[in-house]
Amino acid sequence: MTRLPYGRFCDEVVAQTDLMRGVVTGADLSATVPTTPDWTLSQLLRHVGGNLRSLEQAVRTGAAVTEPERQVPDHGGPPGDDPAAIDAWLAEAAARAAQTLGGAGPDAEAQIWQVRWPTAAWARRAAHDLVVHRADAAGAVGTGYTVAGDLAADAVDEFLDLLGNPQVAASAPDPGGPDPVGTVHLHATDAGPGLEAEWLVELGSPGFTWRHAHEKATVAVRAPLADLLRVVTRR
C-alpha cells in the first residue's frame, strides 16, 4: 500500500522527467547504457517518452493500448536524433501524462498490454519507472544519483508489489529454471524518522511474499536508500 498521495505521483512524472533531462544534457546520446546494454541513451529516452505517451492515451481514451509502439504514432520519438528535439518531445510527453492523470483522478481505470489498473496504480508506476530509468541515465553519463527518501522507499515497495502482481506475472515471459528459496532482508541505512525502510522478502515456490520487518535472513543487504533501490532493481 502506497503511503504517498496521488497528486505527488502526478507531480513526480514531470519532476523526474526534468531531472532525467538534466542528467543527459550535453551527453552523447549514442552512448550505450550499461544497465540496459541493448539501448543507447537515445533509445532509453525514447522508451521513457513512449511509455508516458502510451499511458496518457490509455487514460484519456479509456481504450486498451495493447501494442503501444503501433497505437501511439510518435511512440518512437521525434524524427532523427537531434538532442533538442528529443528533449522537447520528452518534456511534452511528461506534461501531457501528468495533466491527463491529474484530470482523471485516482479512481479511473486504464489498460496497457494485458494489465488493467486504477489510475492511482498507473501514476505510481509511471513515477517510479522514471525514478529507476533516471538511474540508468545517471550510470551512463557517470553522474551521481539521489532520490528523496520517501519516494525511494515507496519505489522499493512498488517494485516488490509489481513482481508479486498476478497480472504482471501472467504477462511476463517464463524465466525458466527452479524458483529461488530463502529470505532476503533489505535495510536502508539512511532512513529518516518514521519512514519504513526495512523489508523481509520470503522466496518460495512459486513466487514470494514480502513485508516490512527487521529479522534475520538468508541474505542481508544494507545500503543508503538510493543505492538499495538500485540493487533491488538491478541498477
Side-chain angles (χ1 to χ4, degrees):
M1 179 66 70
T2 181
R3 295 155 294 185
L4 303 179
Y6 181 72
R8 170 74 178 278
F9 293 124
C10 295
D11 291 343
E12 290 291 351
V13 166
V14 174
Q16 295 299 318
T17 301
D18 286 348
L19 287 170
M20 181 180 290
R21 292 168 57 213
V23 165
V24 302
T25 297
D28 177 7
L29 298 188
S30 68
T32 298
V33 179
T35 45
T36 56
D38 291 337
W39 288 346
T40 63
L41 266 175
S42 176
Q43 290 170 313
L44 173 66
L45 298 177
R46 293 170 187 271
H47 168 78
V48 168
N51 281 350
L52 290 171
R53 288 172 183 265
S54 295
L55 175 57
E56 191 277 334
Q57 176 180 304
V59 174
R60 173 172 44 83
T61 66
V65 178
T66 56
E67 295 183 278
E69 292 87 350
R70 297 182 184 179
Q71 292 194 20
V72 180
D74 52 356
H75 184 283
D81 289 312
D82 176 55
I86 294 174
D87 178 71
W89 175 83
L90 187 57
E92 182 190 22
R96 286 170 54 179
Q99 182 177 26
T100 299
L101 284 165
D107 299 322
E109 288 195 348
Q111 181 174 336
I112 300 176
W113 298 115
Q114 289 79 35
V115 180
R116 187 168 187 83
W117 283 344
T119 39
W122 281 119
R124 188 187 190 203
R125 175 85 289 270
H128 291 321
D129 188 59
L130 285 159
V131 167
V132 172
H133 281 316
R134 181 163 62 82
D136 292 324
V141 304
T143 192
Y145 175 74
T146 60
V147 188
D150 59 347
L151 191 64
D154 191 73
V156 174
D157 283 1
E158 195 260 355
F159 186 76
L160 295 175
D161 284 343
L162 191 66
L163 291 181
N165 185 287
Q167 280 187 296
V168 175
S171 63
D174 185 351
D179 292 314
V181 295
T183 55
V184 180
H185 177 222
L186 306 172
H187 185 135
T189 58
D190 61 345
L195 185 62
E196 286 187 298
E198 292 190 64
W199 298 262
L200 185 74
V201 181
E202 298 185 74
L203 304 172
S205 182
F208 70 95
T209 59
W210 73 272
R211 65 183 187 276
H212 288 287
H214 178 85
E215 297 180 20
K216 290 186 180 296
T218 310
V219 176
V221 182
R222 291 172 55 89
L225 263 168
D227 292 337
L228 197 62
L229 174 61
R230 295 176 83 168
V231 168
V232 170
T233 58
R234 302 178 69 180
R235 260 63 188 185

